[in-house]
């Protein structure tokens, strides 16, 4: 398909079907970063109420930088991938300390901040600063694979990005990427197109995974100020037995301590 024809198709569809999302109504890099980290591997329907709640509690990087672990994780509860919340706070602290509260406008610098990879850095630059550089996520990749690689398998992101940069609608890169997001998420949602990507990895089920037991442990700890070693051990061993999984208490606790999601004293675990 020719690039101009592709652009018209995507943009004409978007005019009629675009989604009304709160993070599309701001160019504040902090608010956009919050949305991007929340949306990583998490459905929009779960993010929407949490996004509003999070910004009410932590309206700017100064407030977030001072947040306690307990309050931060309480607000984040329900989104999963708990470490993202700590990454977000650590990034806020670094921006305050190292960049005087202003977000860098360079992708390489942004990628050095906690929790920010190539996609998030470029999405932030696009949506906050209107930078004209193409980037890929699951939905955008799906669109390019569908239109430009219909009969190919094992297509690399490098090949896709070559086309994506050519196809970029430079008049408004924000609208262009929103349109790609929505087309991929709505029109192409159930077509399993991303299997054609060289980088495709099927997401493992949450139920019974290490993430599942970590979430159970964090929620249990958030329900009380502190929990004895024995109480957590009994709780987790019951969960492990119910799911018939090979994980041990030691595996789960070690993982949580490593990611600094929980703390340990002589007698208690706490957040």
């Amino acid at each position: 398909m020719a690039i101009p024809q592709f652009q018209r198709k995507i943009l004409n569809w978007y005019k009629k079907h675009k989604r009304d999302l709160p993070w599309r109504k701001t160019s504040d890099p902090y608010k956009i970063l919050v949305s991007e980290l929340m949306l990583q591997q998490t459905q929009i329907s779960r993010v929407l109420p949490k996004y509003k709640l999070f910004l009410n509690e932590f309206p700017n990087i100064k407030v977030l930088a001072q947040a306690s672990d307990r309050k931060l994780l309480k607000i984040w509860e329900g989104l999963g991938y708990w470490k993202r919340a700590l990454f977000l706070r650590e990034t806020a602290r670094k921006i305050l300390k190292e960049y005087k509260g202003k977000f860098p406008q360079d992708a390489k610098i942004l990628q050095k901040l906690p929790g920010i990879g190539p996609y998030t850095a470029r999405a932030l630059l696009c949506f906050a600063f209107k930078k004209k550089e193409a980037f890929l996520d699951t939905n955008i990749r799906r669109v390019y694979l569908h239109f430009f690689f219909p009969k190919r398998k094992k297509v690399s992101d490098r090949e896709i990005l070559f086309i994506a940069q050519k196809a970029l609608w430079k008049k408004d890169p924000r609208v262009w990427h929103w349109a790609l997001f929505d087309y991929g998420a709505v029109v192409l949602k159930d077509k399993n197109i991303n299997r054609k990507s060289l980088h495709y990895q099927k997401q493992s089920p949450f139920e019974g995974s290490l993430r599942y037991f970590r979430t159970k442990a964090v929620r249990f700890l958030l329900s009380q100020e502190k929990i004895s070693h024995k109480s957590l051990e009994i709780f987790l061993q019951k969960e492990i037995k119910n799911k018939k999984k090979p994980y041990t208490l030691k595996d789960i606790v070690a993982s949580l301590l490593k990611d600094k999601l929980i703390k340990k004293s002589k007698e208690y675990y706490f957040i």
Side-chain angles (χ1 to χ4, degrees):
M1 177 178 283
I3 296 296
Q5 181 186 359
F6 171 66
Q7 289 177 330
R8 285 195 298 273
K9 184 176 183 66
I10 298 298
L11 291 170
N12 286 339
W13 179 90
Y14 181 70
K15 285 179 184 178
K16 298 178 182 178
H17 304 286
K18 61 183 176 182
R19 294 180 291 185
D20 183 22
L21 300 171
W23 44 87
R24 294 183 180 179
K25 300 175 182 178
T26 182
S27 58
D28 183 335
Y30 169 68
K31 293 178 180 179
I32 291 167
L33 181 61
V34 170
S35 73
E36 289 297 336
L37 263 67
M38 284 188 169
L39 287 163
Q40 289 175 8
Q41 297 179 291
T42 306
Q43 295 173 335
I44 286 178
S45 58
R46 287 168 57 197
V47 170
L48 282 168
K50 286 292 180 179
Y51 178 74
K52 182 178 180 180
L53 177 62
F54 192 95
L55 291 178
N56 283 340
E57 294 291 336
F58 313 115
N60 54 58
I61 58 173
K62 290 182 180 179
V63 178
L64 177 60
Q66 297 169 1
S68 67
D69 288 357
R70 174 168 285 271
K71 184 176 182 180
L72 179 59
L73 294 177
K74 269 282 190 184
I75 297 297
W76 195 267
E77 187 173 1
L79 291 174
Y81 295 94
W82 302 87
K83 195 174 179 181
R84 290 179 298 173
L86 301 186
F87 279 153
L88 195 51
R89 185 184 59 188
E90 187 59 26
T91 286
R93 289 173 175 173
K94 283 182 174 289
I95 289 173
L96 285 171
K97 183 179 179 180
E98 299 175 19
Y99 302 101
K100 299 180 180 179
K102 294 186 177 181
F103 278 75
Q105 295 188 37
D106 183 284
K108 290 182 179 178
I109 295 175
L110 285 170
Q111 284 175 229
K112 294 179 181 179
L113 296 171
I116 299 183
Y119 160 76
T120 304
R122 285 158 182 79
L124 181 61
L125 291 175
C126 172
F127 299 132
F129 304 110
K130 297 185 179 180
K131 298 291 184 179
K132 299 172 183 178
E133 185 175 356
F135 52 86
L136 301 178
D137 84 323
T138 298
N139 290 309
I140 294 175
R141 184 184 291 109
R142 189 182 287 138
V143 176
Y144 283 110
L145 286 169
H146 175 72
F147 284 102
F148 294 96
F149 304 91
K151 298 180 180 179
R152 284 275 308 279
K153 293 182 179 180
K154 297 185 177 181
V155 183
S156 71
D157 280 357
R158 184 177 180 180
E159 292 177 273
I160 299 172
L161 278 168
F162 179 77
I163 298 292
Q165 192 61 42
K166 283 188 171 184
L168 180 65
W169 191 51
K170 294 181 180 179
K171 183 178 179 180
D172 194 332
R174 286 160 51 100
V175 167
W176 176 242
H177 284 98
W178 291 335
L180 291 170
F181 280 146
D182 288 1
Y183 195 94
V186 176
V187 179
L188 304 177
K189 180 181 178 181
D190 299 318
K191 296 186 179 293
N192 291 323
I193 295 168
N194 276 323
R195 291 178 183 273
K196 298 195 296 182
S197 168
L198 180 64
H199 314 284
Y200 173 77
Q201 287 184 330
K202 188 176 181 180
Q203 189 174 3
S204 58
F206 174 71
E207 192 79 10
S209 66
L210 183 58
R211 289 190 296 117
Y212 170 87
F213 293 111
R214 280 163 52 103
T215 291
K216 287 286 185 178
V218 171
R219 284 179 173 169
F220 185 50
L221 285 160
L222 285 173
S223 70
Q224 302 176 48
E225 287 296 321
K226 57 185 179 181
I227 290 172
S228 70
H229 295 171
K230 186 175 180 180
S231 294
L232 183 61
E233 180 177 350
I234 292 170
F235 172 79
L236 285 174
Q237 285 180 340
K238 183 179 178 181
E239 290 291 332
I240 292 166
K241 185 178 180 181
N242 287 341
K243 294 297 177 182
K244 298 180 181 179
K245 293 294 179 179
Y247 301 113
T248 65
L249 171 71
K250 185 177 180 181
D251 294 331
I252 300 164
V253 171
S255 174
L256 291 166
L257 289 169
K258 180 182 178 182
D259 286 347
K260 299 180 181 179
L261 288 167
I262 67 172
K263 300 177 180 66
K264 183 181 180 181
S265 67
K266 188 175 181 179
E267 298 179 51
Y268 300 100
Y269 291 109
F270 59 97
I271 293 175

